[in-house]
Amino acid sequence: MKVLYLHHNQPDYLGESLFHGLRRLLGQNCVDIPRYDSMYAPLTDRIRYKLRGNGFTLYGLLEDIPALAEDRYFWQNDLDKYDLIIIANIYSQWHLVWQLLSVVPAEKLVILDGSDSPAFFPYVSLKWRMINRPWSYFTPLSNLKYFKRELIGEGHSYGLDRFLPYSLRYYIPFPKNAKPISFSIPEEKIRKVDFKQKVKDFPTHIVDAEVSAKVREAFFSDIGSDKYIFSSEEEYYNDLRKSRFGITTKRAGWDCFRHYELAANGCVLCFKDLDLKPEICAPHGLNESNCIIYHSYNDLIERISAITDDEYCRLQDATYQWIESNTTVVRAKYFLNSCSIS
């Protein structure tokens, strides 16, 4: 089985993490076009500088395959050799849908939407798109498999949440071709940490402003901030490995790479307002059996103060089970099965 992976060669956690899993699974039968520069070792300082999060966790892990240069050259001439063709960022690559549908069957094409918005393409930035890209509304997507991370449904799918009350949005279904997907983390980044090595409650970087304000020497970054407190991945991970609990919350979207990094380093997740997340929206599989759901700082402290060592160990074991079910290879297998490709 051979997969063509068309991407825009820019930071995109969903596209990058899925590619990592597909490459691990398929080897050179997953062909990235163009070459996915951020994913290969060695990761240069100039590329790392352009990445979010200082290029931690996901980047520079794959060994280059020079022979793929031949597959990349004049790739349009080899489309019949691929079983699946992935358009990894619909917002930057929607024009490819028109180009490819004229030469390949619709069942071969798959769309990825890693946007923080719950709206499907092209129902985001409605006014701007209507003025500047009105033809994008005619992109023929309804018969293509469409994997979306922030999958909520109702009127959100069409950007109507700003115009319609819930009583009306409720009756608007999300597109029938929609499939859920989420971020994932390389298996090699999971590190088992004994709870005895946990010497403090929380990591230094806390994304809940209320909790951060109450924790001594905590660092808070607002949504979209490019300020970081750690300059190296090992320094960042060491801080997580010392921490019993990892604070996380909805930011621009419900699914954040932070959830996976915290869990991979043995932090029991404390997820603010997780019970408000739509069930079909990523992250999937988190609940009271494997994380702590809280609504305020006082609520959080009350909950973690009541946990015994045995209860903590049980939660940590459940955390590891969750993260091991969310590796890039596991996600790639799910993706291919969802595309009916095995």
Side-chain angles (χ1 to χ4, degrees), residues 31-259:
V31 180
D32 49 324
I33 295 181
R35 180 183 182 274
Y36 224 144
D37 296 318
S38 64
M39 303 303 292
Y40 292 104
L43 185 65
T44 67
D45 289 339
R46 288 189 65 189
I47 292 179
R48 187 183 299 278
Y49 177 77
K50 298 177 183 179
L51 295 168
R52 283 192 59 78
N54 281 340
F56 296 169
T57 305
L58 188 57
Y59 303 99
L61 301 177
L62 297 175
E63 183 179 347
D64 199 3
I65 305 177
L68 290 183
E70 296 176 354
D71 292 284
R72 293 185 183 111
Y73 180 71
F74 200 11
W75 59 269
Q76 295 91 338
N77 209 38
D78 296 325
L79 292 174
D80 60 332
K81 298 180 180 179
Y82 294 97
D83 301 291
L84 204 63
I85 299 172
I86 299 168
I87 297 177
N89 189 298
I90 185 60
Y91 290 90
S92 297
Q93 300 176 289
W94 58 274
H95 59 284
L96 287 176
V97 175
W98 298 90
Q99 177 185 338
L100 292 169
L101 275 179
S102 66
V103 290
V104 300
E107 55 265 26
K108 275 193 175 186
L109 289 182
V110 182
I111 304 300
L112 292 187
D113 182 345
S115 169
D116 286 327
S117 170
F120 283 63
F121 180 86
Y123 303 103
V124 177
S125 304
L126 296 175
K127 182 178 180 181
W128 178 91
R129 191 167 293 279
M130 188 67 71
I131 295 172
N132 297 283
R133 300 285 189 275
W135 52 91
S136 67
Y137 285 94
F138 298 98
T139 307
L141 297 174
S142 60
N143 292 325
L144 307 183
K145 299 178 184 71
Y146 192 111
F147 286 83
K148 184 164 181 62
R149 181 172 62 90
E150 293 295 315
L151 186 59
I152 292 180
E154 305 156 7
H156 292 83
S157 302
Y158 306 96
L160 297 175
D161 49 296
R162 291 170 293 174
F163 310 109
L164 294 179
Y166 177 77
S167 58
L168 295 179
R169 294 201 314 266
Y170 178 80
Y171 295 99
I172 301 176
F174 60 85
K176 293 181 179 180
N177 60 330
K179 295 179 180 292
I181 197 168
S182 63
F183 294 147
S184 54
I185 194 167
E187 183 179 4
E188 59 263 42
K189 298 297 180 176
I190 299 175
R191 171 88 168 265
K192 293 295 180 72
V193 183
D194 190 281
F195 87 100
K196 294 178 182 178
Q197 297 175 248
K198 302 287 188 176
V199 296
K200 60 177 183 173
D201 280 339
F202 306 119
T204 303
H205 186 190
I206 296 178
V207 295
D208 182 335
E210 181 190 11
V211 175
S212 178
K214 302 282 189 177
V215 176
R216 184 179 179 184
E217 298 181 352
F219 171 80
F220 172 77
S221 62
D222 211 344
I223 297 174
S225 171
D226 58 358
K227 295 180 180 180
Y228 309 107
I229 190 170
F230 298 110
S231 57
S232 73
E233 180 178 287
E234 191 58 27
E235 185 184 12
Y236 170 48
Y237 282 2
N238 282 339
D239 184 66
L240 300 185
R241 289 166 188 160
K242 294 176 183 177
S243 306
R244 298 181 186 90
F245 304 99
I247 304 299
T248 195
T249 183
K250 180 181 184 292
R251 302 267 270 179
W254 281 102
D255 200 26
C256 302
F257 215 63
R258 176 181 59 259
H259 311 328

Side-chain angles (χ1 to χ4, degrees), residues 273-284:
D273 298 332
L274 177 64
D275 51 336
L276 302 181
K277 180 186 74 68
E279 185 176 354
I280 57 176
C281 182
H284 306 108

